[in-house]
Amino acid sequence: MAAKYGLDWHVWGNTSKKSGNKGFDPSATIGRGWGDSPKNLSDKVDCSEAEHVSQPSPISCRLKNARFHPDGTTDFNRPCKITVEVEGTPKGAIHFALWAKYNDTEHDLNHVQSAFVQNGKAQAELELYYVDEYYTDFYQNGKTEAKVEFFAKISNNAAREIKSELFTMPIAAPVSKFIELYFADKHGVKVKKVDHGDTVFLILKTNGMIGQIVDINIEDSKFIFKSKKNTIKNSIIEDYQITDNIEKIKLRVI
């Protein structure tokens, strides 16, 4: 269970000293200075030395649309990009504090990153730390269906604090799928036919296949293709590792 720790403050002091029994002195009961003329209260207070009371900064900007941006590498204990839109004039940096919600309990993960605004937006990276209760349930108690909802509290000295959208972990594994394979020119326009001497781009679109190693069959035996690294034999690019959902492979037709 996440716990908060505080300091146990005690007030220490000395007990008052008891005066010795010296007998009753009637003069001790008479007030002093009763015959003096009254002093003006303003003479006693130096306003320039009065204690300064800090005032909150005025609201001069607005934070909105804060959300995480997971990608193919997103996982626990790894950084995940988060952004927030900023309207107006902030005061100093924008602060991103990582929180999580598990079993209806919110946990402060004690992880804060700061960033300055550029082009109306602030961006940071927060490492998705484990919540202890989730880790125990998932890895020790076999609750493989358990989920954690991450969010960030985002603040600035000149704005009201907001919460980002919830981001659920772990991310459901996407279904691996081949989508499309085609030739395109340097502008991304599809090319129906290629010829000797042409330079084209082979576009491979997939979903959920980042990190996989595949063989790509160009299915065009009329030509020989050459990539930056080597000549492609039998129109098949072997052992190609997918690093993006849209791959662009530059080829020369020879």
Side-chain angles (χ1 to χ4, degrees), residues 213-231:
I213 297 176
V214 299
D215 292 340
I216 303 174
N217 189 352
I218 302 177
E219 296 182 349
D220 193 335
S221 58
K222 297 179 182 179
F223 303 100
I224 296 175
F225 299 92
K226 187 173 183 179
S227 67
K228 184 178 181 180
K229 296 181 179 179
N230 50 34
T231 300

Side-chain angles (χ1 to χ4, degrees), residues 183 194-202 218 223-228 230-232 249-254:
F183 287 117
V194 298
D195 204 349
H196 296 286
D198 289 347
T199 297
V200 294
F201 290 86
L202 183 64
I218 302 177
F223 303 100
I224 296 175
F225 299 92
K226 187 173 183 179
S227 67
K228 184 178 181 180
N230 50 34
T231 300
I232 299 168
I249 308 169
K250 188 175 181 180
L251 299 175
R252 187 166 183 270
V253 186
I254 58 176

Side-chain angles (χ1 to χ4, degrees), residues 59-131:
I59 301 299
S60 61
C61 75
R62 178 190 175 206
L63 308 175
K64 66 177 185 178
N65 297 335
R67 62 190 184 95
F68 287 89
H69 299 270
D71 57 26
T73 65
T74 301
D75 202 350
F76 288 105
N77 285 342
R78 299 195 66 175
C80 183
K81 184 172 73 174
I82 183 170
T83 61
V84 63
E85 295 178 14
V86 183
E87 291 182 347
T89 305
K91 185 177 180 181
I94 307 297
H95 308 292
F96 299 80
L98 182 65
W99 286 68
K101 185 177 180 182
Y102 182 65
N103 287 341
D104 296 324
T105 301
E106 292 187 352
H107 302 267
D108 182 355
L109 299 182
N110 298 311
H111 178 40
V112 180
Q113 293 292 327
S114 300
F116 290 96
V117 178
Q118 292 184 350
N119 300 321
K121 183 180 293 186
Q123 174 181 308
E125 287 190 337
L126 295 174
E127 293 187 34
L128 304 178
Y129 294 150
Y130 277 104
V131 175

